[in-house]
Amino acid sequence: MRQVYSYRNIGNNILAESKDSGDDEFATSFLRQLFHGQLGGGVLAAIKEQAFLDESCTHDSAPLTIVGGYLFKPLNAEEFQNSWHKTLKPFATRGITHFHAAACAYPNDEFVDLLEEERKFLFREMVALIGRTAKLGFVIELENSVYNAWRIDNPTVNSLVGSKYAACCFQSFMFIRHLLQKEDESMKIHYAFERIGQGKGKGHPFDRERDDLLRAIEASPRLTDAFRYGGKSHFPKGEMHALEAADLLVWTYSSLYGPLNPYTKIARRIFANGGIPHRATVVTPTALTYIATLNETHGIKENTYVGISVFKF
């Protein structure tokens, strides 16, 4: 089955002393080894998640689950890492080790000690750096009502999809595959995720669920080729700064459903005309059925997107 893609524009009417350098040096060395050694001309996919109106990320009660991020070319990923480290360095004495959009916009945690202009400065610098370095932004969203209705209507296969987060993750892999279909087939994708479960033990269930999905892709040469799979990495907060760009994207996308404020006004500049492209798609009931089939057979089928949004302000 081949899906028809429809595009829409979102117009201007919507706009109503130093951190320990060890983590940054490790991340920079990792990127150099990864791309210049293992993958050559690959891309880094930095992926984050958020549940709309629920800052705990992906609770069952959240009406909208979002997974999104950015693709970076090798040298641009390295530039982002080094540049953002320099931007954060003056704030290290006040406990700022990484950027978190929600905590910075509505001061919480370590950001409560920053002045409003300092917090706006971080937003502006992040937006500018994304515009200079990222290749493409992508967002996948799944409504809780759609997910629950599909599970009720498909009792024999609904366990194959997993959580809303897992469904969005799988859809993101297929979506990135679609977005890169015109690129050189030798281009591989290395997936970078923030470790959701920061504590000890077996980790967060979403970490395990995502890793199970990626292991299934790794185990199948057919899936590895289909997804241009070049490996995966998990990072704690503040180690791989490209994930902070992804954090800004999913937070900004969710803000499109709410009123404009000084921070969302700055953040939405990532969608400005002439900037890097951003694409979004929705997980539909048909997509959930395909994901269930893929999870059961470990095969690969045509993508299942019913619409792709093109953001322009």
Side-chain angles (χ1 to χ4, degrees):
M1 176 184 292
R2 183 174 181 82
Q3 299 296 322
V4 177
Y5 294 85
S6 60
Y7 291 80
R8 65 184 176 89
N9 295 329
I10 297 181
N12 290 323
N13 58 314
I14 285 187
L15 289 178
E17 179 93 302
S18 162
K19 166 182 178 284
D20 179 5
S21 63
D23 287 346
D24 288 276
E25 291 174 356
F26 167 79
T28 300
S29 297
F30 171 84
L31 289 168
R32 287 175 179 169
Q33 181 179 5
L34 175 69
F35 288 118
H36 301 306
Q38 180 183 350
L39 292 182
V43 293
L44 177 76
I47 301 176
K48 279 277 291 184
E49 80 298 322
Q50 178 171 309
F52 179 49
L53 297 181
D54 186 344
E55 278 304 309
S56 57
C57 288
T58 44
H59 280 182
D60 290 339
S61 61
L64 186 66
T65 297
I66 299 171
V67 167
Y70 283 103
L71 302 181
F72 291 88
K73 291 183 178 179
L75 293 178
N76 295 121
E78 190 175 325
E79 178 186 352
F80 190 99
Q81 181 70 23
N82 293 330
S83 295
W84 194 241
H85 170 62
K86 293 177 182 178
T87 299
L88 292 179
K89 189 174 181 179
F91 301 95
T93 55
R94 283 180 280 175
I96 305 300
T97 62
H98 63 281
F99 177 82
H100 180 40
C104 189
Y106 309 107
N108 196 358
D109 300 327
E110 60 268 33
F111 292 93
V112 297
D113 294 327
L114 268 60
L115 300 174
E116 182 176 12
E117 283 306 311
E118 290 175 318
R119 291 185 281 115
K120 289 180 179 178
F121 167 80
L122 290 177
F123 265 83
R124 288 192 293 267
E125 290 299 300
M126 173 62 80
V127 169
L129 186 56
I130 289 171
R132 294 198 306 269
T133 58
K135 173 181 175 67
L136 175 72
F138 58 91
V139 172
I140 294 84
E141 67 171 85
L142 172 57
E143 293 184 33
N144 192 43
S145 58
V146 171
Y147 176 80
N148 288 337
W150 181 86
R151 288 182 63 85
I152 293 172
D153 292 340
N154 296 273
T156 60
V157 296
N158 60 26
S159 63
L160 295 170
V161 166
S163 69
K164 293 179 289 182
Y165 171 66
C168 285
C169 270
F170 206 142
Q171 189 81 336
S172 72
F173 301 156
M174 292 190 289
F175 195 34
I176 294 170
R177 167 179 171 259
H178 165 75
L179 295 173
L180 294 179
Q181 62 183 343
K182 295 182 180 180
E183 301 282 353
D184 190 322
E185 293 183 0
S186 64
M187 177 180 287
K188 301 297 183 183
I189 304 164
H190 189 95
Y191 295 93
F193 301 93
E194 183 176 282
R195 191 176 300 132
I196 300 174
Q198 296 288 332
K200 297 180 180 179
K202 296 182 179 179
H204 195 282
F206 295 138
D207 282 331
R208 299 197 299 270
E209 194 173 27
R210 180 191 61 227
D211 289 347
D212 286 344
L213 173 60
L214 291 168
R215 275 192 290 270
I217 294 175
E218 288 175 331
S220 168
R222 186 180 180 191
L223 286 177
T224 299
D225 290 342
F227 287 110
R228 297 172 177 249
Y229 183 75
K232 68 180 186 298
S233 298
H234 311 91
F235 300 92
K237 291 181 184 297
E239 190 169 277
M240 179 60 70
H241 292 312
L243 290 165
E244 295 157 47
D247 173 82
L248 179 70
L249 174 57
V250 296
W251 181 83
T252 305
Y253 183 84
S254 71
S255 80
L256 298 178
Y257 296 88
L260 191 68
N261 65 48
Y263 296 93
T264 56
K265 185 176 181 179
I266 296 171
R268 292 181 195 181
R269 293 174 187 168
I270 60 175
F271 303 136
N273 280 320
I276 66 169
H278 288 80
R279 302 289 183 264
T281 192
V282 175
V283 182
T284 64
T286 301
L288 291 169
T289 300
Y290 267 77
I291 291 170
T293 303
L294 287 165
N295 281 338
E296 183 176 35
T297 64
H298 304 301
I300 187 71
K301 296 183 183 299
E302 191 60 55
N303 59 64
T304 58
Y305 314 113
V306 297
I308 300 175
S309 307
V310 180
F311 297 101
K312 290 183 179 179
F313 285 138

